[in-house]
Amino acid sequence: MTLPLPARRLAAALAACGLLGTPALAAPLPVVVDKVLLQQPSVRSAQALLRAAEAQITQVRSDFLPSLGLSYRNSDARDETQGRPVDRNVRRSDASLRWNVFNGAADTHRLRSAGFTRDAADADLDSVLEQVAFEITEAYADVVRLRQTMDSLQATIARQERVEANVAQRVDAGRISSAELDLMHVRLIQSRTLLGQLRAQLGTAEYRYRLLTGEAPNDLITPGIRPAKGDADIDALVERIHERNPRLRAALQRSSARKADIGVARGSFFPAVDLSLNKRLDNNTIPVPVSDTDRAAQLQVSIDIPLGGKNLGRHTEAIERHQAAQADADDLLMKVSREITDLYRQLAETREIAPLTEQRVIAAQRVAAAYELHFEAGRRSLNDVSIAQEDLFNAQRALIENHAQQTTLQAQLLSLAGELRETLRTRYQPVFIAPELFGTTPYNPALAAAPVPVVDAPPAPEMELSPANTPKAAKPAPPINTAEEGSTASGPEQRLTAWVAAWAAGDFAAYRAFYLANFQPGKGRSTLEWENERRLRVSQAQSPAIRIDNLKLRQHTADRMSTRFTQRYSAGHYRDTVRKQIDWVKEDGQWKIAAERVLPQAGAHAAPAQTEASQ
């Protein structure tokens, strides 16, 4: 059973605070792939076949070495010599050394064939590894896609239920027909039926993920892969995949092995020349015969000339098998080429329409909200409102599926090139879709870039920390316990300086340590989403510089205070200046950030648009 979005966010926050026994955040996709890849049965099978191919090479190499034979005879017999029975005991030992000198280079070609077969098995292992890595990536993305789609549908159902309650009140008051209420019942039944179908699909996807990874799919994040420069050139991509595709490599190696088998068959047409050395080591016969060999050494050369059509048929078979293997390789090349072209075109189209899917969601949110207002004013029918809500869900679903499709298509192309595992280690990048795009409230991208909501804070008595800037009419500050560690006289100011230093250094771990473990960023975002977002902003900023001016402090209680200041931020070509307030609380004797918000500029009724880069 899948928990709703608020419940999952609460569970993630509790686990992050150590209040739950299980971790809230699952391992990133590259870690999952590396951890479970070698445990898959198909991978273990390919590894065993590779070891078998290597053992076959060892067997073939032994044919180049001579064979040593030792024999020992121990017999008791009753012979008859000149009509007289004799009990004879024979103790005899011999040694022989046999070496094949020439067999038409059949052993050489057999070794080449075994080497190509081993290379084919190695390519098969790479192919299986890439295929399993793609299956894990696909399952990971599928779980995330279905969960996000269910969250969107649940928000739509909640909105439909609110409209239904409004309609019911109007029907009870006799203002509209009861048919309008039936219409909302139909829409809700359709949505709840679809939710059940999605829940069943999610259960299947989660079960598949558990089968592949052996882990529960907890709090997965939308996966993504940064594009490489060569990915935009279809011709270069096709050429690279032709060179590196593991299945193609395996097929070509098998074709080469079958070609070497032709040389093995041709070697059977030549006479086989064997050199053998036989030597008697010991001979003891009782009673001693009249004549016997006691010590002897013999050098023998034997030539075997094959006759009949057996070898001719073997040669013909080898030729035909080579042609079949080469035809299979050519057929696979055409199939891979078609597959590459199709996947690339799909990926290019998916990337091109990605911005349009987001614009569609924003427009659908506005239409749905406007139609509800128009319905209240009697300018739109309830059917128009229902259609607008359904269009909003379809737009959100298209956005979610677009992100998932980009990841799976790109992963499949990389798998064909044999580069997926390496790319997940070097170019993996989680994708963060703005949570507001999953909601039903109209979304403004310009304002949504701000990391925290703008709050029009009421004026309050403040204390300048800089003596030179202290106003003459400033009220005295509340009493300060300077003996306490992290006192208000210096604690927050020093902590703020260290916070700025950690941010400018791009050290997210140090930056995160200044906030409470369950820090609430606002705007409906969870702590986990805020952490992932800020990790990217802090660690990837280009030469960030932060300056704090006009720092002021206000103490509320002994363990709570606020700082206000003007923040000047620059990174790369970006610049901005905002007024900000940070609320501090003392936790375990250390001042931590409990809230952070941007203040409106002086004389303005609304704060200017900010970007996430400048929290």
Side-chain angles (χ1 to χ4, degrees):
M1 179 178 178
T2 303
L3 294 174
L5 179 60
R8 293 209 306 271
R9 287 178 173 172
L10 177 60
L14 292 175
C17 299
L19 300 180
L20 292 180
T22 57
L25 179 60
L29 175 60
V31 177
V32 174
V33 171
D34 287 340
K35 181 179 179 181
V36 306
L37 197 59
L38 298 181
Q39 302 173 7
Q40 302 301 311
S42 57
V43 175
R44 299 202 310 270
S45 174
Q47 289 175 325
L49 291 175
L50 175 59
R51 292 192 295 268
E54 292 174 345
Q56 188 178 13
I57 293 178
T58 303
Q59 297 176 43
V60 175
R61 283 176 177 168
S62 65
D63 293 338
F64 289 92
L65 301 176
S67 59
L68 176 65
L70 295 173
S71 63
Y72 174 72
R73 179 183 176 188
N74 185 349
S75 65
D76 296 325
R78 187 174 181 82
D79 298 341
E80 187 173 321
T81 303
Q82 296 179 354
R84 297 174 55 191
V86 177
D87 292 330
R88 192 178 307 278
N89 300 322
V90 179
R91 308 291 185 267
R92 182 177 299 168
S93 57
D94 298 312
S96 64
L97 186 66
R98 183 179 178 277
W99 191 13
N100 177 254
V101 179
F102 179 74
N103 62 355
D107 292 340
T108 301
H109 291 292
R110 191 175 291 112
L111 180 61
R112 293 181 63 237
S113 176
F116 288 130
T117 302
R118 189 269 315 274
D119 294 340
D122 187 42
D124 284 337
L125 176 58
D126 284 341
S127 179
V128 171
L129 289 170
E130 290 294 319
Q131 181 61 30
V132 172
F134 168 70
E135 290 177 359
I136 295 174
T137 302
E138 186 180 35
Y140 191 106
D142 205 31
V143 171
V144 174
R145 175 184 65 84
L146 289 169
R147 285 178 175 174
Q148 291 175 341
T149 305
M150 287 182 59
D151 291 340
S152 173
L153 182 56
Q154 287 170 341
T156 300
I157 291 175
R159 191 167 192 170
Q160 290 175 335
E161 290 173 344
R162 292 196 299 270
V163 174
E164 181 189 35
N166 186 5
V167 172
Q169 292 178 356
R170 295 189 176 196
V171 171
D172 293 340
R175 298 170 55 189
I176 60 177
S177 170
S178 61
E180 300 288 353
L181 186 59
D182 293 335
L183 174 62
M184 288 308 305
H185 285 327
V186 170
R187 297 296 188 188
L188 274 170
I189 291 172
Q190 291 175 344
S191 298
R192 288 166 180 163
T193 301
L194 179 57
L195 182 63
Q197 296 172 354
L198 291 174
R199 189 179 293 112
Q201 295 175 18
L202 178 61
T204 302
E206 290 178 339
Y207 181 72
R208 181 190 176 203
Y209 182 87
R210 288 190 183 93
L211 284 179
L212 287 171
T213 65
E215 299 179 352
N218 296 328
D219 296 292
L220 306 185
I221 302 173
T222 307
I225 299 173
R226 293 192 302 272
K229 294 182 179 179
D231 292 347
D233 188 350
I234 179 62
D235 294 330
L237 180 63
V238 170
E239 183 178 357
R240 189 170 88 241
I241 292 179
H242 283 173
E243 292 177 355
R244 303 191 58 177
N245 181 266
R247 288 187 296 166
L248 277 176
R249 289 200 342 256
L252 292 174
Q253 294 296 336
R254 287 193 175 89
S255 176
S256 299
R258 300 293 80 78
K259 185 176 181 180
D261 288 342
I262 297 176
V264 177
R266 286 175 179 171
S268 62
F269 289 108
F270 295 89
V273 180
D274 295 328
L275 179 65
S276 61
L277 176 63
N278 301 309
K279 183 175 179 58
R280 177 153 296 169
L281 302 178
D282 184 40
N283 185 21
N284 185 13
T285 304
I286 299 174
V288 179
V290 177
S291 176
D292 196 4
T293 303
D294 188 30
R295 297 285 189 277
Q298 179 181 2
L299 182 64
Q300 178 181 345
V301 178
S302 61
I303 300 178
D304 295 333
I305 300 176
L307 298 175
K310 174 182 177 181
N311 295 329
L312 182 61
R314 184 180 301 169
H315 180 262
T316 303
E317 178 188 2
I319 292 176
E320 296 301 329
R321 289 189 180 279
H322 170 249
Q323 291 179 355
Q326 185 61 47
D328 289 341
D330 294 339
D331 180 64
L332 182 59
L333 178 63
M334 290 189 295
K335 290 180 179 179
V336 170
S337 299
R338 290 196 301 267
E339 190 174 1
I340 294 169
T341 305
D342 181 52
L343 291 173
Y344 180 82
R345 298 302 179 193
Q346 292 184 47
L347 178 60
E349 291 296 330
T350 304
R351 286 175 173 172
E352 185 175 352
I353 67 174
L356 300 180
T357 58
E358 184 171 329
Q359 295 174 17
R360 178 186 173 187
V361 170
I362 297 172
Q365 286 177 332
R366 293 172 180 169
V367 170
Y371 276 24
E372 285 191 24
L373 294 176
H374 293 169
F375 174 70
E376 294 287 342
R379 296 168 53 191
R380 289 283 178 182
S381 67
L382 184 60
N383 188 53
D384 292 337
V385 175
S386 300
I387 293 175
Q389 292 174 345
E390 185 177 354
D391 287 343
L392 173 57
F393 167 70
N394 290 332
Q396 292 170 336
R397 187 175 188 176
L399 172 65
I400 294 167
E401 291 180 350
N402 179 273
H403 281 275
Q405 191 176 16
Q406 285 189 58
T407 300
T408 54
L409 288 173
Q410 192 173 6
Q412 195 168 3
L413 279 172
L414 292 167
S415 176
L416 287 174
E419 302 172 354
L420 178 57
R421 291 169 294 156
E422 180 62 27
T423 301
L424 288 176
R425 299 188 188 102
T426 57
R427 287 163 43 202
Y428 176 77
Q429 182 177 8
V431 177
F432 300 101
I433 304 176
E436 293 81 5
L437 290 174
F438 294 146
T440 56
T441 305
Y443 171 62
N444 188 336
L447 296 179
V452 291
V454 175
V455 178
D456 189 6
E462 297 171 348
M463 180 188 72
E464 294 280 1
L465 293 182
S466 175
N469 296 330
T470 303
K472 294 180 180 180
K475 296 182 180 181
I480 298 176
N481 184 4
T482 57
E484 182 181 357
E485 181 182 353
S487 66
T488 56
S490 60
E493 182 181 12
Q494 294 177 349
R495 295 284 289 170
L496 188 64
T497 302
W499 172 77
V500 170
W503 185 2
D507 187 349
F508 176 76
Y511 175 87
R512 176 65 179 89
F514 286 94
Y515 294 81
L516 292 174
N518 60 343
F519 175 75
Q520 300 299 319
K523 298 189 71 175
R525 293 183 301 172
S526 66
T527 304
L528 177 62
E529 292 170 334
W530 173 80
E531 286 179 346
N532 293 328
E533 183 181 0
R534 292 305 299 162
R535 181 182 287 106
L536 293 176
R537 297 290 183 263
V538 172
S539 60
Q540 295 185 4
Q542 298 181 357
S543 303
I546 304 98
R547 194 179 75 185
I548 300 299
D549 294 331
N550 301 324
L551 178 61
K552 300 177 182 180
L553 181 145
R554 178 192 178 194
Q555 184 174 355
H556 303 284
T557 65
D559 295 331
R560 302 186 67 89
M561 66 172 48
S562 300
T563 53
R564 288 188 179 185
F565 51 87
T566 300
Q567 174 184 292
R568 305 183 190 279
Y569 176 89
S570 65
H573 299 289
Y574 179 81
R575 303 285 189 278
D576 78 352
T577 300
V578 296
R579 292 179 63 239
K580 184 176 288 189
Q581 176 174 321
I582 292 182
D583 297 330
W584 302 81
V585 297
K586 185 172 290 187
E587 183 180 70
D588 297 330
Q590 187 68 272
W591 288 102
K592 295 292 185 74
I593 298 176
E596 181 180 0
R597 52 184 174 270
V598 176
L599 303 176
Q601 299 292 342
H605 295 288
Q610 305 296 336
T611 66
E612 291 188 18
S614 63
Q615 179 179 323

